[in-house]
Amino acid sequence: MTDSRLRHLTSVRDLDRAAALRILDTAEAFLEVTRRPVRKVPTLRGKTIINAFFEASTRTRTSFELAGKRLGADVVNIGGSASSTSKGETLRDTVATLDAMHADVIVVRHSASGAADYIKGRTRAAIVNGGDGMHEHPTQALLDAFTIRRHFGRLEGLTVAICGDIQHSRVARSNALLLPLLGAKVRLAGPQTLLPHDAAALGAETFTRLEPALEGVDVVMMLRIQQERLGSALLPTLREYARTFGLSRARLGLAKPNAIVMHPGPMNRGVEINDDVADGERSVITAQVESGVAVRMAVLYLCATEPGQPIGSE
Amino acid sequence: MRELIDSEGVSRGLRRVAGQIVERQRGAEGLVLIGVRRGGEPLAREIARWVRELEGHEVPVGSVDITLYRDDAATALPNPRIGPSQVPCALEGKRVVLVDDVVFTGRTIRAAIDALMDYGRPERIELAALVDRGGRELPIQPDYVVLRAEVGPRDRIDVVERPGGMVALICPAGSPSTPPTP
């Protein structure tokens, strides 16, 4: 058996197929936990998880916080304007401080690509990447894969269209790496200016128009248009974007009849996705949120438990 | 490796245990049988079958996985596989009989009790086991036992499905685990 134990998760590239499947299978058990009358297990009692979120985030931070608490760990959130980072402390010093506090896992969200990898060698804690710049967001890709697998019962042979601002999206990058590892095909669609030059290196088919990208796919994954990019040469107006790249009911008709619609959130309704699609019967957007907690429980559990000898079972 | 109980012994023993379970509370009202995964699952189903035969009463059967409740969960599982727990109904006010194949240190049962409590507050929890091999490290005793056995502390007891039914085997320390079905 290959050792698919997880030490850190900073990139989907840390995972082979067996390790990725191990996370998804473990998440199945945790999904059951999150649906019980008492949604908490004592597994990580006495462990400390620090959510170091140097970039704004509500849903990812809440999801990690709930995941840690439901495993019985002590969870501390730091970051934002109240943190010492805003007083000029370097990331390196912050990490040294957290290490001295004996954190077992540090979940890091940072605007700089590569921040999670930078921290990895500077602490004894396990590092989980909660999104770093334009690089990766591995737990989002895992929860997307988990949601798709729960819906269709498999990932092999499915085609997933990821649509929108591919260039700046760590969600797109992580998914484009993970889904093919699990047997699904990925299409990337976006305006020419928002498609990465290395899209081909990701091994995905690319499209500069939405319609052909949607034809016959099983999953449509819309990305949030990042409003801060507006007005630049990359993206003229919201209205123009909605007209050409917004997901409407008519456009969704190009996908397979049983195709599902996903969005990592938060949504810009009326821009990348219309209300009737977001709230429609093919949307699994709220299921993604529920999956998120279960998948993050699995990742934290696998990262926080240390290698050891199994004690004789009965 | 030698046979501790043959399939007939297992079958008769489980029927006796089913009778004792019914006898103790004068019926099967509010009874739920929960097997400790994975060894206890088939035994719980078998006891439920005998209760139905005795009482004409369908008893809910479920299972509980204790991986997340082990007292060594955070350090000792290099390759953890967490199985699903299936609790068939709300346990509030129910009489739960936990069923396991072998009771040894008592740590598994401690974990299983903790797990059950997260599904509600049963009126009472009792414990049935196929084999009690002694060696307890916690103050936990089974209420119903098919066989008490003196076994060396490093020997292993395997309960396996055979064509004629379930059997319990004693395997000396260090021997490879018994394949499920030949």
Side-chain angles (χ1 to χ4, degrees):
Chain A
M1 189 195 300
T2 60
D3 183 8
S4 48
R5 190 170 54 227
L6 208 55
R7 176 67 181 125
H8 304 280
L9 181 62
T10 58
S11 161
V12 168
R13 293 185 203 273
D14 291 345
L15 304 172
D16 58 12
R17 187 181 152 83
L21 288 173
R22 165 62 49 82
I23 294 170
L24 301 191
D25 293 344
T26 305
E28 291 284 347
F30 285 121
L31 189 68
E32 191 271 333
V33 171
T34 66
R35 291 172 173 180
R36 290 181 193 174
V38 177
R39 288 180 284 279
K40 194 182 180 90
V41 289
T43 317
L44 295 188
R45 198 172 45 185
K47 300 272 182 185
T48 302
I49 297 171
I50 297 184
N51 282 331
F53 277 52
F54 302 102
E55 188 189 62
S57 159
T58 306
R59 78 176 54 213
T60 303
R61 201 206 63 215
T62 310
S63 184
F64 269 111
E65 185 175 352
L66 275 177
K69 287 182 169 168
R70 285 177 179 171
L71 286 166
D74 294 310
V75 183
V76 181
N77 295 313
I78 63 159
S81 55
S83 74
S84 47
T85 316
S86 60
K87 298 174 187 160
E89 186 174 68
T90 63
L91 183 56
R92 185 176 188 159
D93 286 336
T94 305
V95 170
T97 305
L98 300 182
D99 184 62
M101 290 175 178
H102 300 285
D104 296 289
V105 183
I106 299 174
V107 182
V108 62
R109 154 76 62 105
H110 202 284
S111 58
S113 304
D117 278 309
Y118 173 82
I119 291 170
K120 193 155 75 177
R122 289 175 164 75
T123 165
R124 289 159 292 180
I127 300 300
V128 176
N129 185 357
D132 62 331
M134 305 189 306
H135 177 228
E136 279 215 46
H137 194 352
T139 60
Q140 177 72 42
L142 286 161
L143 77 87
D144 289 334
F146 182 77
T147 308
I148 297 169
R149 194 178 76 163
R150 278 194 70 79
H151 185 88
F152 290 103
R154 69 194 159 94
L155 284 156
E156 290 80 10
L158 299 179
T159 304
V160 181
I162 304 176
C163 314
D165 181 358
I166 307 293
Q167 166 80 53
H168 301 99
S169 174
R170 52 198 175 205
V171 176
R173 181 167 298 270
S174 289
N175 266 304
L177 290 168
L178 180 67
L179 294 172
L181 192 64
L182 298 172
K185 267 214 304 243
V186 171
R187 296 179 181 175
L188 300 172
Q192 184 75 63
T193 50
L194 296 177
L195 277 175
H197 303 295
D198 66 341
L202 288 169
E205 224 184 325
T206 58
F207 296 82
T208 53
R209 285 180 56 239
L210 188 56
E211 289 82 357
L214 295 182
E215 244 164 73
V217 298
D218 302 279
V219 179
V220 182
M221 190 183 292
M222 300 308 293
L223 300 173
R224 183 173 72 91
I225 217 41
Q226 306 185 17
Q227 309 244 7
E228 57 271 26
R229 322 237 174 254
L230 279 171
S232 69
L234 298 177
L235 196 60
T237 67
L238 277 187
R239 189 144 38 122
E240 163 76 5
Y241 183 80
R243 198 172 54 74
T244 52
F245 268 90
L247 186 64
S248 61
R249 198 166 267 276
R251 286 199 172 121
L252 181 56
L254 295 167
K256 284 207 182 124
N258 63 346
I260 55 171
V261 176
M262 307 178 79
H263 192 299
M267 287 184 276
N268 296 300
R269 287 171 178 266
V271 183
E272 71 263 6
I273 189 164
N274 286 3
D275 283 336
D276 56 354
V277 177
D279 305 326
E281 72 286 352
R282 286 153 72 182
S283 162
V284 295
I285 295 169
T286 54
Q288 285 175 274
V289 178
E290 190 186 18
S291 300
V293 177
V295 164
R296 289 177 177 120
M297 284 174 85
V299 169
L300 291 174
Y301 169 67
L302 293 170
C303 284
T305 50
E306 290 151 23
Q309 288 305 307
I311 290 172
S313 58
E314 296 188 12
Chain B
M1 182 172 69
R2 67 179 172 86
E3 212 167 73
L4 193 61
I5 330 177
D6 61 12
S7 55
E8 198 188 328
V10 171
S11 180
R12 283 179 186 284
L14 293 178
R15 183 171 57 178
R16 192 179 74 239
V17 164
Q20 289 168 345
I21 288 171
V22 170
E23 188 63 29
R24 182 176 286 198
Q25 296 285 315
R26 303 222 161 83
E29 201 59 43
L31 180 66
V32 183
L33 294 168
I34 303 283
V36 180
R37 266 179 58 91
R38 289 164 43 200
E41 269 183 312
L43 300 170
R45 279 198 301 272
E46 189 64 10
I47 293 173
R49 197 172 67 78
W50 286 117
V51 171
R52 190 174 55 220
E53 203 129 298
L54 289 167
E55 292 287 297
H57 191 109
E58 199 68 50
V59 179
V61 184
S63 64
V64 68
D65 185 280
I66 60 127
T67 313
L68 298 170
Y69 293 86
R70 291 173 60 130
D71 49 19
D72 55 357
T75 50
L77 301 169
N79 247 333
R81 288 192 185 279
I82 306 164
S85 290
Q86 277 150 355
V87 175
C89 57
L91 298 183
E92 209 64 38
K94 290 288 197 318
R95 175 190 177 201
V96 177
V97 177
L98 267 175
V99 183
D100 204 356
D101 50 1
V102 180
V103 181
F104 184 17
T105 62
R107 287 176 192 271
T108 300
I109 301 305
R110 197 280 310 160
I113 292 170
D114 274 0
L116 279 188
M117 292 297 190
D118 286 352
Y119 289 90
R121 185 174 183 274
E123 186 193 87
R124 59 196 300 137
I125 299 177
E126 298 162 32
L127 174 61
L130 184 64
V131 181
D132 178 355
R133 58 171 294 181
R136 220 74 82 233
E137 293 168 4
L138 293 173
I140 283 171
Q141 307 303 335
D143 301 274
Y144 315 98
V145 179
V146 172
L147 184 78
R148 286 178 216 281
E150 292 294 321
V151 184
R154 300 188 59 86
D155 293 344
R156 205 181 57 242
I157 297 179
D158 286 350
V159 178
V160 294
E161 197 96 36
R162 286 284 154 85
M166 268 172 290
V167 300
L169 308 167
I170 292 191
C171 312
S175 62
S177 60
T178 314
T181 312

